[in-house]
Amino acid sequence: MIRSVVIVSALCFLFISLFLLQRQEAGGPLVRARMLMGTVVEIKVDGPDAERFEAAVTEAFNAMERIERLMSPHVPDSDVSRLASAAGPVRFAPETLEVLQIALEVADVSAGAFDPTLGRLVRLWGFAEGAPRLPEPAEIQAAVAGPGTTGLEIVGRLVSKESPHVVLDLGGVAKGYAIDRAVEVLAAAGAGHAAVNAGGDMRLLGDRHGRPWKIGIQHPRQPGNVLGVLELSDRAVVTSGDYERAFEQGGVRYHHILDPRTGYPADRCQAVTVVADHAAIADALATAVFVLGPESGMALLNSFPGTEGLIVAADGQIATTSGLREVITWP
Ligand code: FAD
Ligand code: MG
């Protein structure tokens, strides 16, 4: 917990310093940052006319804020919170419905490794509240027992749950979707070169000065070091890691990506990075592959044409899709 706070504070300081430095660069990129969805979101617009996108950047942040208001478990009247407390059907906003459809698709292709209905388990571990704890085995057994995604019913925009056991949690996909919305706003305003970065998960619009953007992938066991550098344009890149929200007890690391089958943190990977056209699908896939582990996870990535990925297994072994090898440089 204390470690997480320190890491978050350090990240905030880094982002704010970066923000102030880049703001002072005359004719440089337009860089703005806001705290959203429990993380620092940075939007950067590049190019000689970057200054004229100030209003579009504000609009892009507002679009992300709307997604947070609709999908956060911490906002009492979000679609997710209303479903959690409702006895009957709840009318979802089109955006929430779209995210739910993506989540259900990834749940399906990952044979339930990605499960957007494990909100009870997420609450039990307390990661979302910032006060994680190791639950009793009986509590975990009770939290995993349930119908899973089949316990949700969708009729038009009305969503209902079979029992109070089914608690929607879009934490593994909604951040990516919010990034996509922001990029759409920037593109609609005419920005051709931009990056939206939400705590390391990002989507790139166009290239940077005629060359690909260079994106460092955080080393899962060496804080501050990069594992590799990706050169990408017009792509999303999202990482799920066991170091992001974690605590240690009795020499064991417990983190926030949970295996729906066991109820415990998934233990087959240290980190998974996915490159795709959209951040929402990259976000959901990174979480799914993390739970599935290197073998099934790689098979899942290869079944999505145009989607690339890098998997760091629990023992530190690195595996990549063939397309990723063309865009990565190792340090
Ligand atoms: P990912 O791997 O992308 O996702 C892990 C998250 O997905 C877990 O935290 C859990 O919510 C869920 N999950 C775990 N296991 C599975 C699984 N097997 N299948 C499917 N989903 C799973 N954080 C704050 O501290 N304060 C906030 O106010 C806050 N508000 C948020 C509002 C929204 C709308 C969203 C999307 C996130 C918010 N967060 C907030 C952050 C959130 O708690 C998670 O940290 C974040 O979504 C996880 O993203 P990630 O990239 O670290 O990990
Ligand atoms: Mg994810």
Side-chain angles (χ1 to χ4, degrees), residues 114 171-173 201 238-240 282-288:
F114 187 86
V173 57
D201 294 343
V238 174
T239 297
S240 278
D283 192 359
L285 279 178
T287 309

Side-chain angles (χ1 to χ4, degrees), residues 8-62:
V8 169
S9 310
L11 271 177
C12 288
F13 178 73
L14 187 76
F15 273 106
I16 290 164
S17 312
L18 203 69
F19 169 60
L20 291 174
L21 269 176
Q22 288 179 321
R23 239 189 123 185
Q24 287 156 13
E25 244 179 63
L30 175 70
V31 186
R32 296 290 179 261
R34 244 195 232 183
M35 199 69 196
L36 287 168
M37 295 174 283
T39 194
V40 180
V41 179
E42 186 200 77
I43 298 183
K44 177 188 281 187
V45 181
D46 225 344
D49 57 350
E51 295 280 299
R52 77 182 174 90
F53 293 104
E54 185 78 61
V57 168
T58 303
E59 203 190 319
F61 277 126
N62 292 346

Side-chain angles (χ1 to χ4, degrees), residues 226-250:
V226 294
L227 188 65
V229 177
L230 296 172
E231 295 205 10
L232 301 167
S233 305
D234 269 321
R235 300 282 268 164
V237 52
V238 174
T239 297
S240 278
D242 66 3
Y243 50 89
E244 285 167 358
R245 282 175 190 237
F247 66 97
E248 275 185 33
Q249 192 169 315

Side-chain angles (χ1 to χ4, degrees), residues 37-38 67-68 71-72 74 113-116 118 122 128 169-172 174-175 201 239-240 244-245 256-258 260 283 287 291:
M37 295 174 283
I67 303 308
E68 179 172 15
M71 302 177 205
S72 173
H74 308 291
F114 187 86
D115 183 352
L118 47 51
V122 174
D169 180 301
L170 298 174
K175 189 154 46 114
D201 294 343
T239 297
S240 278
E244 285 167 358
R245 282 175 190 237
H256 70 142
I257 305 169
L258 304 168
D283 192 359
T287 309
V291 176

Side-chain angles (χ1 to χ4, degrees), residues 172-198:
V173 57
K175 189 154 46 114
Y177 183 82
I179 293 171
D180 287 333
R181 290 285 78 79
V183 166
E184 278 168 21
V185 169
L186 296 171
H193 312 273
V196 177
N197 180 347

